[in-house]
Amino acid sequence: MLQLPFIRENKEAVIKRLAVRNIDAKPLIDQVIILDEERRALQTQLDNVLAESNSISKEIGMLFKSGKAEEANALKAKTGDLKESSKTLSEQLNQKADALNQLLYQIPNVPHDSVPSGNTDEDNEEIYKEGDIPQLHSEALPHWELAKKYDIIDFELGNKITGAGFPVYKGKGARLQRALIAYFLDKNTEAGYTEFQFPHLVNETSGFGTGQLPDKEGQMYHVTGDNLYLIPTAEVPGTNIFRDVLLNESDLPIGITGYTPCFRREAGSYGAHVRGLNRLHQFDKVEIIRVEHPDNSYNALDSMVNHIKEILKELKLPYRILRLCGGDIGFTSALTFDFEVFSTAQDRWLEISSVSNFETYQANRLKLRFKNKEGKNELAHTLNGSSLALPRVLAGILENYQTEKGIKIPDVLVPYTGFEWID
């Protein structure tokens, strides 16, 4: 969440930048500032009462030592009143702090100055495009038809076992899926990211730490009996590794990667655009996560973008990069770049990666800090990116690499699959 001193000192700038998200934040910011003033006033009262109580306690001790028991006992009655007063003020302070946090949880991150205005994904800014769109043969098929033709993904079976959006990968489809995961992890570890295996369920505190709660509670699968959540992305367990951690400046930067299945309810999704692998409730993804010094986080963001570019070049898939507009950027992000691969058989772009800088927004919730050169504790910056999300990468490979003979496996993946064709 946003830091209170930052809001107090930059009130008008915060309201102006949040307007890029199409949000009139003034009423909420005004409430935050009023509540914060009330909280600070209560804190001052409590500090004064505690200071007076401590002073009187010392005075009582001195009186007893001086043999003035009667005066000491008279003062003890006053300390009882002060203790009662401090208890009441502490309760009021906690209530005020809780109310303040509930307001802060409702305020999204302030967009970076480069984030363009806009309402929907149609207003996102294309900043880069690479790769030739292949010319397919006349009987080319979308990936869901190819999956059926070559018996590599069974959507109906997944529907039978669980429900729509839970496909079953079979034979060469399963092996291609496994090959992509191994390839992505290898590329990430070669780039210096340390591989982790994460839990697939997280507690409520972890959900709040990275900002999925309360913002996206309706999109997460909730195991109510244990109050745990199925992860929507490895970002959640991966970033929470650093919750309540105080790093040394020399520890930075930190880069980690991991493969997980991801679970999203995708409530309200419908229509032709969700066919096949386009939108699923369970899918596989390899993630990269970085913890950075604030001075270096945007250089790190650029390096993450370049890293994903390199992967897509090796896969030889046509892709483009979008800078997300204020109306499409995620709740916790300051700046996000989306990668989209062109699906030739569907004649549309499919999102395969989001790379974001959260600046201090997540770190403030996580209490993720480092000790800087002056010896002061400072919030770190957190970043993450899909590297990559598998379903639409797989869809792009199936559709763009299809021939009349079968589906050619990208050269870079052959050592991982052990076969060159799906036929």
Side-chain angles (χ1 to χ4, degrees):
M1 56 190 173
L2 298 179
Q3 298 175 73
L4 275 169
F6 177 77
I7 293 174
R8 283 198 306 267
E9 295 162 16
N10 302 277
K11 175 186 172 182
E12 297 306 322
V14 168
I15 292 170
K16 183 178 179 181
R17 287 310 300 163
L18 287 174
V20 175
R21 290 181 173 271
N22 308 307
I23 295 172
D24 178 10
K26 187 177 186 304
L28 201 52
I29 297 296
D30 285 342
Q31 277 185 275
V32 165
I33 289 173
I34 290 168
L35 262 181
D36 185 42
E37 288 172 351
E38 293 173 352
R39 180 190 64 81
R40 292 162 76 194
L42 282 169
Q43 184 67 64
T44 300
Q45 290 179 51
L46 178 60
D47 290 344
N48 291 338
V49 167
L50 292 173
E52 186 179 357
S53 181
N54 288 336
S55 176
I56 290 173
S57 293
K58 290 178 183 177
E59 188 178 348
I60 290 170
M62 295 294 291
L63 288 169
F64 274 121
K65 284 181 180 179
S66 303
K68 300 177 180 179
E70 189 175 337
E71 292 179 44
N73 287 325
L75 278 177
K76 282 179 78 174
K78 187 174 183 181
T79 62
D81 292 339
L82 288 171
K83 283 180 181 177
E84 197 60 40
S85 179
S86 68
K87 181 182 176 184
T88 300
L89 285 168
S90 292
E91 289 172 354
Q92 291 175 348
L93 185 62
N94 288 335
Q95 290 171 2
K96 198 69 70 176
D98 287 344
L100 186 56
N101 276 335
Q102 291 308 312
L103 285 180
L104 288 170
Y105 284 143
Q106 297 175 45
I107 303 173
N109 203 354
V110 174
H112 187 264
D113 288 343
S114 66
V115 173
S117 299
N119 297 310
T120 68
D121 57 5
E122 294 180 359
D123 300 314
N124 293 334
E125 178 185 351
E126 183 182 297
I127 61 168
Y128 188 82
K129 186 187 287 186
E130 186 171 349
D132 297 324
I133 295 171
Q135 296 296 314
L136 300 182
H137 60 92
S138 59
E139 296 182 6
L141 299 170
H143 70 268
W144 55 86
E145 295 291 347
L146 292 167
K148 188 173 183 179
K149 178 179 178 180
Y150 295 107
D151 194 26
I152 54 174
I153 308 171
D154 196 323
F155 296 100
E156 289 75 18
L157 184 57
N159 193 31
K160 171 187 173 182
I161 296 168
T162 309
F166 295 88
V168 174
Y169 299 86
K170 304 165 61 178
K172 287 186 174 181
R175 288 170 65 186
L176 178 55
Q177 184 88 339
R178 179 158 49 93
L180 282 166
I181 293 166
Y183 165 65
F184 293 153
L185 287 172
D186 282 353
K187 289 296 294 183
N188 295 346
T189 54
E190 287 167 11
Y193 293 90
T194 302
E195 183 177 349
F196 278 67
Q197 286 192 352
F198 307 117
H200 299 162
L201 293 107
V202 293
N203 56 34
E204 192 173 57
T205 304
S206 292
F208 272 96
T210 44
Q212 279 69 31
L213 296 176
D215 179 54
K216 291 183 172 61
E217 185 165 11
Q219 294 292 349
M220 295 175 73
Y221 286 100
H222 188 191
V223 183
T224 54
D226 299 298
N227 196 28
L228 297 174
Y229 292 84
L230 286 166
I231 59 169
T233 166
E235 169 198 345
V236 185
T239 312
N240 271 279
I241 289 171
F242 305 100
R243 174 159 39 94
D244 298 321
V245 170
L246 177 61
L247 300 165
N248 293 313
E249 187 167 342
S250 59
D251 295 327
L252 302 176
I254 298 171
I256 65 175
T257 186
Y259 151 71
T260 64
C262 303
F263 304 88
R264 301 183 186 180
R265 293 186 60 238
E266 297 290 3
S269 295
Y270 60 90
H273 68 287
V274 302
R275 288 196 68 179
L277 299 171
N278 288 353
R279 194 174 296 274
L280 301 174
H281 294 304
Q282 178 182 327
F283 61 94
D284 292 322
K285 182 154 69 81
V286 175
E287 196 82 357
I288 49 176
I289 297 163
R290 296 184 71 91
V291 180
E292 290 282 347
H293 190 289
D295 293 345
N296 192 54
S297 68
Y298 279 95
N299 290 331
L301 183 66
D302 290 340
S303 75
M304 293 168 77
V305 168
N306 289 330
H307 175 65
I308 294 167
K309 276 184 181 181
E310 182 183 339
I311 292 174
L312 290 170
K313 284 179 185 177
E314 288 190 357
L315 289 172
K316 297 180 181 176
L317 288 170
Y319 72 95
R320 67 177 182 175
I321 304 174
L322 305 175
R323 180 187 283 113
L324 297 196
C325 71
D328 200 34
I329 195 172
F331 187 86
T332 55
S333 176
L335 177 62
T336 295
F337 295 105
D338 269 8
F339 282 74
E340 296 183 337
V341 66
F342 192 75
S343 166
T344 308
Q346 297 180 69
D347 193 29
R348 59 189 294 257
W349 293 97
L350 302 174
E351 180 197 331
I352 54 166
S353 176
S354 284
V355 187
S356 301
N357 189 346
F358 305 102
E359 297 186 356
T360 60
Y361 192 90
Q362 289 182 334
N364 193 29
R365 289 191 179 202
L366 294 161
K367 294 184 174 61
L368 165 53
R369 299 157 298 157
F370 68 96
K371 195 171 288 293
N372 64 23
K373 290 174 182 174
E374 289 74 41
K376 295 180 180 178
N377 294 345
E378 186 177 345
L379 289 172
H381 279 196
T382 62
L383 304 91
N384 82 270
S386 316
S387 180
L388 292 158
L390 271 74
R392 293 170 184 171
V393 172
L394 187 59
I397 289 171
L398 296 179
E399 294 184 4
N400 290 331
Y401 277 84
Q402 66 179 301
T403 70
E404 294 181 36
K405 175 183 172 182
I407 300 166
K408 178 78 170 69
I409 300 299
D411 293 341
V412 73
L413 293 179
V414 172
Y416 292 91
T417 59
F419 55 85
E420 296 184 15
W421 288 89
I422 296 174
D423 51 20

